Amino acid sequence: MRFVMRWGTVMLTALGALLVGPIASRAVLRAQGAGRVSVRGTAVDAATTQSLGNVTVEFVGGGRTFSSRSDATGAFALLNVPPGRYFVTAMRVGYLPFRDSVTLGATVGQVRIELTPVTQSLLGIEVKANVTAVYGGIGSASRNRNSQGERELFAVPGAIVEVLGSGKRTVTDSLGRFFLELPKPGTYLMHASAPGLQDDIYAVVVPNKKAVEASRLLEPTDAPEPIGRQTLLREMDRRLGWRSMTSALVTGEELRAIGGQLSDALPRTKGATLRGLRIGATTCVFVDGVPKPGYSIDGVRPESVAAVELYGPNGDPTNSVASAWPKGAPCGDELRNNAPIGDPRAIARYAVIWTVP
């Protein structure tokens, strides 16, 4: 065994009592005027000021809840929020409670949420040797809120966690923990699921000989699983495992860092550049595995993207995306043709967009 997991009661504290006790975090909010606003900001570790991904931020007020989840850069956004007074909460595995309130007006400056870690050793896992892996905890939140809009958090034992395309899959232990060693570094899509909770697909970038924390909070749901969801997941798992050099997997974080619409940002990502891929009028678009004939890739906001699969000529040896596209159906945005004359890059035949829950 090349790593030591020391969770004990620490993990129970991190997941089960995240919103209990005194305020241990701080938000910096600026607002004035009247009218709907878009709230944007960052979540950071209060001790180190490092960006924090997977922080669930909620604004609760007027009988409505607006929520967002920070990406790997710590960035989050809540769009088109009406003015008024809101309770603000933030939830993140391994961190002490955050709660605050704010009155929103017409404009809001940059929001900064600072979370205090429960322990110095995040999630109680201490990696003792170089290892390429993902680890963390799976948690969820109660449906009910207290008078300040807060929800109690708890660990999710028995959740299924898989790294798609790698053949790696596990089940969380009694404290909601998991650890998966990977055969090589790279960009991966993870899938976490449990009964009664909304499953989640999210991207992680794993460097060589480094264990990356990949915890997730899954939301309760009464909705039945969409028909064919498991088939789509199994196809994606196989596709990612067999994809060729004329394909790319792009994270939502990379797209948002570049900025602009998806059609402009995607060709500028590292993966698309290395594989010589660009977006064209003939690119067929899928959203969450479902084909969207005639749909523009710019119909999805970058804030909503978890990851995008791009496939050029012969990029998908499994032929799963090609066979799923309705025969004779139109592809993409017929008005889009933004490639410079003589651009040698191949047009991506398929773009499979996976969105955040």
Side-chain angles (χ1 to χ4, degrees):
M1 191 72 67
R2 290 189 288 169
F3 61 94
V4 177
M5 299 176 70
R6 298 189 301 186
W7 295 56
T9 57
V10 171
M11 186 59 184
L12 290 175
T13 299
L15 283 171
L18 193 58
L19 297 178
V20 178
I23 296 175
S25 303
R26 179 169 62 89
V28 180
L29 305 172
R30 299 180 179 87
Q32 61 183 7
R36 287 182 173 252
V37 297
S38 294
V39 182
R40 298 180 185 274
T42 56
V44 301
D45 185 303
T48 66
T49 71
Q50 291 183 340
S51 300
L52 285 178
N54 194 35
V55 176
T56 298
V57 180
E58 297 184 333
F59 279 46
V60 182
R64 301 180 66 182
T65 299
F66 298 86
S67 63
S68 180
R69 179 182 285 155
S70 66
D71 62 22
T73 69
F76 64 87
L78 296 96
L79 305 179
N80 206 26
V81 182
R85 186 166 179 80
Y86 292 87
F87 289 112
V88 184
T89 64
M91 300 177 287
R92 214 283 189 182
V93 174
Y95 283 78
L96 290 174
F98 167 80
R99 56 179 178 268
D100 205 340
S101 62
V102 64
T103 299
L104 297 182
T107 60
V108 177
Q110 186 74 4
V111 176
R112 179 182 173 91
I113 289 182
E114 299 176 356
L115 298 177
T116 302
V118 173
T119 63
Q120 293 298 318
S121 179
L122 183 62
L123 298 177
I125 295 180
E126 183 177 336
V127 178
K128 289 295 187 180
N130 292 335
V131 58
T132 305
V134 291
Y135 70 93
I138 300 298
S140 188
S142 62
R143 297 175 182 270
N144 299 323
R145 300 177 184 273
N146 64 18
S147 60
Q148 294 182 309
E150 301 164 347
R151 297 188 291 163
E152 183 180 0
L153 300 187
F154 54 89
V156 181
I160 298 174
V161 181
E162 54 186 329
V163 182
L164 299 169
S166 73
K168 298 293 183 177
R169 176 186 174 104
T170 191
V171 176
T172 56
D173 65 13
S174 61
L175 297 180
R177 310 171 300 183
F178 68 89
F179 186 100
L180 284 169
E181 187 169 352
L182 300 175
K184 60 182 180 179
T187 300
Y188 291 95
L189 284 185
M190 297 190 64
H191 178 238
S193 62
L197 301 176
Q198 184 175 1
D199 72 317
D200 198 357
I201 294 173
Y202 54 107
V204 293
V205 179
V206 186
N208 189 36
K209 296 184 179 180
K210 183 176 181 180
V212 174
E213 193 247 330
S215 300
R216 214 66 174 171
L217 291 174
L218 305 181
E219 289 291 332
T221 181
D222 291 324
E225 183 177 70
I227 297 175
R229 174 74 168 179
Q230 286 302 315
T231 299
L232 292 175
L233 288 171
R234 299 285 64 82
E235 288 179 349
M236 177 172 56
D237 184 27
R238 183 166 172 261
R239 187 165 65 239
L240 291 174
W242 285 92
R243 63 191 182 94
S244 75
M245 293 298 291
T246 54
S247 69
L249 180 60
V250 179
T251 69
E253 285 87 350
E254 186 178 5
L255 291 168
R256 288 183 283 276
I258 293 172
Q261 296 181 312
L262 293 189
S263 59
D264 297 321
L266 275 167
R268 297 166 58 192
T269 61
K270 181 179 179 181
T273 299
L274 289 175
R275 304 302 170 86
L277 296 174
R278 61 180 173 87
I279 302 300
T282 57
T283 301
C284 302
V285 178
F286 289 70
V287 178
D288 293 326
V290 178
K292 299 289 184 178
Y295 191 83
S296 170
I297 198 168
D298 292 327
V300 180
R301 297 194 312 268
E303 292 87 353
S304 301
V305 176
V308 181
E309 302 173 67
L310 288 179
Y311 294 99
N314 304 313
D316 173 26
T318 70
N319 205 41
S320 59
V321 284
S323 61
W325 193 260
K327 187 176 181 180
C331 283
D333 183 352
E334 295 182 357
L335 299 179
R336 176 167 294 281
N337 189 3
N338 59 353
I341 296 176
D343 191 335
R345 295 176 298 171
I347 294 176
R349 292 185 175 178
Y350 303 99
V352 186
I353 304 170
W354 297 96
T355 62
V356 297

